[in-house]
Amino acid sequence: MSTEKTALIIGATGRTGSRLLPLLLASDSGFTKVAEYGRRVTPKDKLGVNVDKLEQKVIDFDKIHESGLKDGKWDVVFITLATQRARAGSAEAFERIDKGYVLDAAKEAKSSDPKFKQRVIYVSSAGANPSSFFLYPRCKGETEDGLASLGYSETIIFRPGFLRGDDRGLVEKMIGPITTFGSHFSSSLEIQLDQVAKSMLNIGKLGLGGIPSGLSTQESWNKGSPFNVLGNASLLKLSQVNA
């Protein structure tokens, strides 16, 4: 990758993406151009400095070929797009957004130049499994496999535990205290949203080859296509790295 890196973020207005975008815009982020594509975009007056290197575009994921994603040449593609079944309204709508939109956007952002090295970084979930009987982990697992099959130079999957830092919902308020107590005994249970965002920035800059020794990743395979998984414990460590 060139010394002047470009970053694309899909899902910048969500819980994790809204924390990642300001980090990408920071002067020491290592990215000279940042693009935010989504159904809605972040008001620039909420972002502060360095908005001059930000490109924003509202797109229709159901017409992804009209999005202009193919026109960019993105060194790193960050995907934080996600939804909930209740918010989506049905299982079918959930899969269309949580899996379909993610894969369509990643495919569209993939360069057709075989010599151009790109990495894609996706926030999945602990327990993701394409063979699961349950909708949520199955959808996440199928999305991981789908991303691996697209042919990015590096496909990096985050599987965080329970996400803290925005405990507004009933589930968060109920489960949060339990995972916080358990986190005193295990590093696999929870992580702050800010830590996930910092880990994304770090791995986006460093790539798999720059991961510090002692920080483990799990390599998985989908029909011959490899992808690397970082679990909650690894994300906690990665968030502390000064990349």
Side-chain angles (χ1 to χ4, degrees), residues 198-221:
K198 183 62 184 302
S199 295
M200 292 194 83
L201 173 66
N202 284 343
I203 198 71
K205 293 168 68 174
L206 297 172
L208 293 172
I211 291 180
S213 59
L215 199 159
S216 62
T217 67
Q218 172 191 343
E219 188 172 60
S220 298
W221 294 80

PDB file of all heavy atoms in Angstrom, residues 198-221:
ATOM      1  N   LYS A 198     -10.787   2.115  18.201  1.00  0.00           N
ATOM      2  CA  LYS A 198      -9.331   2.290  18.209  1.00  0.00           C
ATOM      3  C   LYS A 198      -8.642   1.057  17.617  1.00  0.00           C
ATOM      4  O   LYS A 198      -7.655   1.175  16.889  1.00  0.00           O
ATOM      5  CB  LYS A 198      -8.835   2.521  19.637  1.00  0.00           C
ATOM      6  CG  LYS A 198      -7.325   2.779  19.737  1.00  0.00           C
ATOM      7  CD  LYS A 198      -6.907   4.022  18.998  1.00  0.00           C
ATOM      8  CE  LYS A 198      -5.391   4.237  19.012  1.00  0.00           C
ATOM      9  NZ  LYS A 198      -4.825   4.330  20.376  1.00  0.00           N
ATOM     10  N   SER A 199      -9.160  -0.119  17.912  1.00  0.00           N
ATOM     11  CA  SER A 199      -8.598  -1.345  17.339  1.00  0.00           C
ATOM     12  C   SER A 199      -8.747  -1.367  15.829  1.00  0.00           C
ATOM     13  O   SER A 199      -7.843  -1.812  15.109  1.00  0.00           O
ATOM     14  CB  SER A 199      -9.270  -2.572  17.955  1.00  0.00           C
ATOM     15  OG  SER A 199      -8.987  -2.674  19.338  1.00  0.00           O
ATOM     16  N   MET A 200      -9.883  -0.883  15.332  1.00  0.00           N
ATOM     17  CA  MET A 200     -10.086  -0.822  13.882  1.00  0.00           C
ATOM     18  C   MET A 200      -9.080   0.115  13.236  1.00  0.00           C
ATOM     19  O   MET A 200      -8.484  -0.201  12.192  1.00  0.00           O
ATOM     20  CB  MET A 200     -11.512  -0.374  13.558  1.00  0.00           C
ATOM     21  CG  MET A 200     -12.597  -1.367  13.930  1.00  0.00           C
ATOM     22  SD  MET A 200     -14.194  -0.953  13.168  1.00  0.00           S
ATOM     23  CE  MET A 200     -13.994  -1.692  11.540  1.00  0.00           C
ATOM     24  N   LEU A 201      -8.890   1.281  13.839  1.00  0.00           N
ATOM     25  CA  LEU A 201      -7.919   2.225  13.305  1.00  0.00           C
ATOM     26  C   LEU A 201      -6.524   1.599  13.279  1.00  0.00           C
ATOM     27  O   LEU A 201      -5.812   1.677  12.268  1.00  0.00           O
ATOM     28  CB  LEU A 201      -7.896   3.489  14.160  1.00  0.00           C
ATOM     29  CG  LEU A 201      -6.803   4.505  13.811  1.00  0.00           C
ATOM     30  CD1 LEU A 201      -7.044   5.104  12.435  1.00  0.00           C
ATOM     31  CD2 LEU A 201      -6.727   5.603  14.875  1.00  0.00           C
ATOM     32  N   ASN A 202      -6.155   0.948  14.367  1.00  0.00           N
ATOM     33  CA  ASN A 202      -4.809   0.368  14.466  1.00  0.00           C
ATOM     34  C   ASN A 202      -4.579  -0.728  13.434  1.00  0.00           C
ATOM     35  O   ASN A 202      -3.543  -0.747  12.768  1.00  0.00           O
ATOM     36  CB  ASN A 202      -4.579  -0.178  15.876  1.00  0.00           C
ATOM     37  CG  ASN A 202      -4.309   0.915  16.887  1.00  0.00           C
ATOM     38  OD1 ASN A 202      -3.981   2.047  16.524  1.00  0.00           O
ATOM     39  ND2 ASN A 202      -4.451   0.609  18.167  1.00  0.00           N
ATOM     40  N   ILE A 203      -5.527  -1.641  13.285  1.00  0.00           N
ATOM     41  CA  ILE A 203      -5.331  -2.739  12.341  1.00  0.00           C
ATOM     42  C   ILE A 203      -5.435  -2.216  10.907  1.00  0.00           C
ATOM     43  O   ILE A 203      -4.812  -2.755   9.988  1.00  0.00           O
ATOM     44  CB  ILE A 203      -6.337  -3.888  12.581  1.00  0.00           C
ATOM     45  CG1 ILE A 203      -5.861  -5.174  11.919  1.00  0.00           C
ATOM     46  CG2 ILE A 203      -7.726  -3.539  12.088  1.00  0.00           C
ATOM     47  CD1 ILE A 203      -4.675  -5.799  12.583  1.00  0.00           C
ATOM     48  N   GLY A 204      -6.214  -1.140  10.716  1.00  0.00           N
ATOM     49  CA  GLY A 204      -6.280  -0.529   9.393  1.00  0.00           C
ATOM     50  C   GLY A 204      -4.943   0.052   8.971  1.00  0.00           C
ATOM     51  O   GLY A 204      -4.555  -0.025   7.808  1.00  0.00           O
ATOM     52  N   LYS A 205      -4.230   0.633   9.923  1.00  0.00           N
ATOM     53  CA  LYS A 205      -2.919   1.218   9.646  1.00  0.00           C
ATOM     54  C   LYS A 205      -1.831   0.151   9.550  1.00  0.00           C
ATOM     55  O   LYS A 205      -0.972   0.199   8.667  1.00  0.00           O
ATOM     56  CB  LYS A 205      -2.562   2.212  10.755  1.00  0.00           C
ATOM     57  CG  LYS A 205      -3.441   3.435  10.786  1.00  0.00           C
ATOM     58  CD  LYS A 205      -3.241   4.242  12.057  1.00  0.00           C
ATOM     59  CE  LYS A 205      -1.878   4.896  12.115  1.00  0.00           C
ATOM     60  NZ  LYS A 205      -1.756   5.797  13.305  1.00  0.00           N
ATOM     61  N   LEU A 206      -1.869  -0.821  10.468  1.00  0.00           N
ATOM     62  CA  LEU A 206      -0.790  -1.795  10.572  1.00  0.00           C
ATOM     63  C   LEU A 206      -0.941  -2.987   9.634  1.00  0.00           C
ATOM     64  O   LEU A 206       0.046  -3.525   9.137  1.00  0.00           O
ATOM     65  CB  LEU A 206      -0.701  -2.312  12.010  1.00  0.00           C
ATOM     66  CG  LEU A 206      -0.361  -1.290  13.094  1.00  0.00           C
ATOM     67  CD1 LEU A 206      -0.520  -1.923  14.474  1.00  0.00           C
ATOM     68  CD2 LEU A 206       1.051  -0.776  12.903  1.00  0.00           C
ATOM     69  N   GLY A 207      -2.184  -3.413   9.416  1.00  0.00           N
ATOM     70  CA  GLY A 207      -2.407  -4.651   8.670  1.00  0.00           C
ATOM     71  C   GLY A 207      -1.998  -5.848   9.497  1.00  0.00           C
ATOM     72  O   GLY A 207      -1.461  -5.722  10.606  1.00  0.00           O
ATOM     73  N   LEU A 208      -2.231  -7.024   8.978  1.00  0.00           N
ATOM     74  CA  LEU A 208      -1.906  -8.247   9.709  1.00  0.00           C
ATOM     75  C   LEU A 208      -0.411  -8.378   9.962  1.00  0.00           C
ATOM     76  O   LEU A 208       0.013  -8.880  11.007  1.00  0.00           O
ATOM     77  CB  LEU A 208      -2.417  -9.466   8.942  1.00  0.00           C
ATOM     78  CG  LEU A 208      -3.938  -9.604   8.839  1.00  0.00           C
ATOM     79  CD1 LEU A 208      -4.301 -10.735   7.882  1.00  0.00           C
ATOM     80  CD2 LEU A 208      -4.540  -9.865  10.215  1.00  0.00           C
ATOM     81  N   GLY A 209       0.400  -7.908   9.015  1.00  0.00           N
ATOM     82  CA  GLY A 209       1.842  -8.022   9.168  1.00  0.00           C
ATOM     83  C   GLY A 209       2.420  -7.125  10.240  1.00  0.00           C
ATOM     84  O   GLY A 209       3.542  -7.349  10.702  1.00  0.00           O
ATOM     85  N   GLY A 210       1.654  -6.112  10.662  1.00  0.00           N
ATOM     86  CA  GLY A 210       2.159  -5.186  11.662  1.00  0.00           C
ATOM     87  C   GLY A 210       1.638  -5.426  13.062  1.00  0.00           C
ATOM     88  O   GLY A 210       1.930  -4.645  13.976  1.00  0.00           O
ATOM     89  N   ILE A 211       0.872  -6.498  13.231  1.00  0.00           N
ATOM     90  CA  ILE A 211       0.330  -6.791  14.550  1.00  0.00           C
ATOM     91  C   ILE A 211       1.474  -7.122  15.513  1.00  0.00           C
ATOM     92  O   ILE A 211       2.344  -7.933  15.185  1.00  0.00           O
ATOM     93  CB  ILE A 211      -0.659  -7.974  14.492  1.00  0.00           C
ATOM     94  CG1 ILE A 211      -1.928  -7.550  13.739  1.00  0.00           C
ATOM     95  CG2 ILE A 211      -1.017  -8.457  15.883  1.00  0.00           C
ATOM     96  CD1 ILE A 211      -2.956  -8.650  13.629  1.00  0.00           C
ATOM     97  N   PRO A 212       1.480  -6.513  16.687  1.00  0.00           N
ATOM     98  CA  PRO A 212       2.561  -6.776  17.652  1.00  0.00           C
ATOM     99  C   PRO A 212       2.609  -8.242  18.067  1.00  0.00           C
ATOM    100  O   PRO A 212       1.579  -8.929  18.100  1.00  0.00           O
ATOM    101  CB  PRO A 212       2.197  -5.882  18.846  1.00  0.00           C
ATOM    102  CG  PRO A 212       1.293  -4.829  18.278  1.00  0.00           C
ATOM    103  CD  PRO A 212       0.544  -5.498  17.177  1.00  0.00           C
ATOM    104  N   SER A 213       3.801  -8.716  18.356  1.00  0.00           N
ATOM    105  CA  SER A 213       3.942 -10.086  18.833  1.00  0.00           C
ATOM    106  C   SER A 213       3.207 -10.249  20.150  1.00  0.00           C
ATOM    107  O   SER A 213       3.153  -9.326  20.962  1.00  0.00           O
ATOM    108  CB  SER A 213       5.427 -10.419  19.029  1.00  0.00           C
ATOM    109  OG  SER A 213       6.017  -9.525  19.962  1.00  0.00           O
ATOM    110  N   GLY A 214       2.619 -11.411  20.347  1.00  0.00           N
ATOM    111  CA  GLY A 214       1.854 -11.669  21.553  1.00  0.00           C
ATOM    112  C   GLY A 214       0.375 -11.389  21.388  1.00  0.00           C
ATOM    113  O   GLY A 214      -0.420 -11.685  22.276  1.00  0.00           O
ATOM    114  N   LEU A 215      -0.005 -10.788  20.242  1.00  0.00           N
ATOM    115  CA  LEU A 215      -1.412 -10.529  19.970  1.00  0.00           C
ATOM    116  C   LEU A 215      -1.876 -11.536  18.919  1.00  0.00           C
ATOM    117  O   LEU A 215      -1.436 -11.490  17.777  1.00  0.00           O
ATOM    118  CB  LEU A 215      -1.599  -9.100  19.479  1.00  0.00           C
ATOM    119  CG  LEU A 215      -3.005  -8.500  19.576  1.00  0.00           C
ATOM    120  CD1 LEU A 215      -2.908  -6.981  19.552  1.00  0.00           C
ATOM    121  CD2 LEU A 215      -3.895  -8.969  18.435  1.00  0.00           C
ATOM    122  N   SER A 216      -2.735 -12.445  19.301  1.00  0.00           N
ATOM    123  CA  SER A 216      -3.073 -13.573  18.442  1.00  0.00           C
ATOM    124  C   SER A 216      -4.290 -13.305  17.564  1.00  0.00           C
ATOM    125  O   SER A 216      -5.213 -12.587  17.953  1.00  0.00           O
ATOM    126  CB  SER A 216      -3.341 -14.827  19.281  1.00  0.00           C
ATOM    127  OG  SER A 216      -4.443 -14.620  20.141  1.00  0.00           O
ATOM    128  N   THR A 217      -4.240 -13.859  16.358  1.00  0.00           N
ATOM    129  CA  THR A 217      -5.399 -13.878  15.482  1.00  0.00           C
ATOM    130  C   THR A 217      -5.666 -15.326  15.096  1.00  0.00           C
ATOM    131  O   THR A 217      -4.769 -16.160  15.085  1.00  0.00           O
ATOM    132  CB  THR A 217      -5.157 -13.068  14.198  1.00  0.00           C
ATOM    133  OG1 THR A 217      -4.149 -13.707  13.410  1.00  0.00           O
ATOM    134  CG2 THR A 217      -4.734 -11.649  14.522  1.00  0.00           C
ATOM    135  N   GLN A 218      -6.907 -15.602  14.773  1.00  0.00           N
ATOM    136  CA  GLN A 218      -7.299 -16.952  14.359  1.00  0.00           C
ATOM    137  C   GLN A 218      -7.564 -16.932  12.867  1.00  0.00           C
ATOM    138  O   GLN A 218      -8.365 -16.132  12.383  1.00  0.00           O
ATOM    139  CB  GLN A 218      -8.558 -17.391  15.117  1.00  0.00           C
ATOM    140  CG  GLN A 218      -9.153 -18.691  14.615  1.00  0.00           C
ATOM    141  CD  GLN A 218     -10.527 -18.951  15.197  1.00  0.00           C
ATOM    142  OE1 GLN A 218     -10.915 -18.355  16.190  1.00  0.00           O
ATOM    143  NE2 GLN A 218     -11.269 -19.848  14.556  1.00  0.00           N
ATOM    144  N   GLU A 219      -6.887 -17.786  12.134  1.00  0.00           N
ATOM    145  CA  GLU A 219      -7.126 -17.855  10.691  1.00  0.00           C
ATOM    146  C   GLU A 219      -8.211 -18.870  10.407  1.00  0.00           C
ATOM    147  O   GLU A 219      -8.158 -20.002  10.875  1.00  0.00           O
ATOM    148  CB  GLU A 219      -5.847 -18.230   9.938  1.00  0.00           C
ATOM    149  CG  GLU A 219      -6.016 -18.130   8.424  1.00  0.00           C
ATOM    150  CD  GLU A 219      -4.710 -18.319   7.677  1.00  0.00           C
ATOM    151  OE1 GLU A 219      -4.109 -19.400   7.821  1.00  0.00           O
ATOM    152  OE2 GLU A 219      -4.305 -17.401   6.956  1.00  0.00           O
ATOM    153  N   SER A 220      -9.214 -18.439   9.650  1.00  0.00           N
ATOM    154  CA  SER A 220     -10.306 -19.313   9.260  1.00  0.00           C
ATOM    155  C   SER A 220     -10.348 -19.401   7.742  1.00  0.00           C
ATOM    156  O   SER A 220      -9.738 -18.589   7.037  1.00  0.00           O
ATOM    157  CB  SER A 220     -11.639 -18.788   9.801  1.00  0.00           C
ATOM    158  OG  SER A 220     -11.639 -18.758  11.217  1.00  0.00           O
ATOM    159  N   TRP A 221     -11.084 -20.384   7.246  1.00  0.00           N
ATOM    160  CA  TRP A 221     -11.145 -20.609   5.803  1.00  0.00           C
ATOM    161  C   TRP A 221     -12.572 -20.795   5.358  1.00  0.00           C
ATOM    162  O   TRP A 221     -13.390 -21.400   6.055  1.00  0.00           O
ATOM    163  CB  TRP A 221     -10.325 -21.847   5.418  1.00  0.00           C
ATOM    164  CG  TRP A 221      -8.858 -21.664   5.646  1.00  0.00           C
ATOM    165  CD1 TRP A 221      -8.189 -21.772   6.829  1.00  0.00           C
ATOM    166  CD2 TRP A 221      -7.882 -21.303   4.666  1.00  0.00           C
ATOM    167  NE1 TRP A 221      -6.865 -21.505   6.657  1.00  0.00           N
ATOM    168  CE2 TRP A 221      -6.630 -21.227   5.338  1.00  0.00           C
ATOM    169  CE3 TRP A 221      -7.925 -21.065   3.299  1.00  0.00           C
ATOM    170  CZ2 TRP A 221      -5.458 -20.898   4.680  1.00  0.00           C
ATOM    171  CZ3 TRP A 221      -6.751 -20.745   2.643  1.00  0.00           C
ATOM    172  CH2 TRP A 221      -5.533 -20.672   3.330  1.00  0.00           C
TER     173      TRP A 221
END
